[in-house]
Amino acid sequence: MHLGNPAVAVRAATEACRLAPNEWRAQLCLAQAALDSRGQLGLAEHAASTARAIAPDEPDVHFVSGQVSLALGNRKAAVAHHERALALNPDHPGALNELGRIRLSRAHTARAARHFLQAARSAPQVRGYSQNIEVVVRRTVALVIYVACLASAILAYLALMNSLPRVEVLSGFGAVAMFTAGFGVVQFQRMPRETRPLFRLRDPAPA
């Protein structure tokens, strides 16, 4: 549907809705086209709402509604729409992936990984879902490294400001190393088992 020209896609979808006002697929196309055009979120919201009124039991209707809600900045409504899509179709890959993205943005990495894994199983031909799993792994590793660097920097600052004896400094760095190792193990164990081999990757590809 005129993928290279969002304005043309919106006009085409609007005409389709005029000709078939009770066709939920036409309303859904209009919502998606308006969403892709970025400047017509109000139209996207109205079309998505109309599609839900016509076909409340269609998973795709709630999936697109979730995308529209997220674009509008309503994260809570987006989660509710995607969860409704999954209630109707537990293997809906789009809703699973979007929930994973929302969880990841809130630093809920383990929950995000589970959503991405299920999306990848539901649609193995979509490479982006499996790449998102690697992104979760990379962020988890980065978090552990950040915690280690922060703790080391704080310890070094305290050592310089208070002129701590060398033994105390070495003991402090030993404690930091033990804490970081424990933190890393906890993060590793929280992740789904299927993701654990990816922690051996040195440079996972971004999504």
Side-chain angles (χ1 to χ4, degrees), residues 7 56 75 88 95 103 125 138 152 174 186:
R75 194 187 304 267
L88 295 167
R103 305 299 188 201
Q125 73 279 8
R138 184 172 60 184
S152 298
V186 170

Side-chain angles (χ1 to χ4, degrees), residues 105-156:
S105 70
R106 302 298 288 264
H108 298 157
T109 52
R111 296 177 70 184
R114 292 186 184 95
H115 289 307
F116 292 142
L117 279 169
Q118 194 173 347
R121 294 192 196 104
S122 299
Q125 73 279 8
V126 181
R127 179 169 171 74
Y129 299 156
S130 59
Q131 286 181 324
N132 284 340
I133 299 171
E134 297 180 10
V135 170
V136 174
V137 170
R138 184 172 60 184
R139 291 196 181 185
T140 302
V141 172
L143 176 62
V144 174
I145 293 173
Y146 171 78
V147 169
C149 292
L150 179 62
S152 298
I154 292 173
L155 178 60

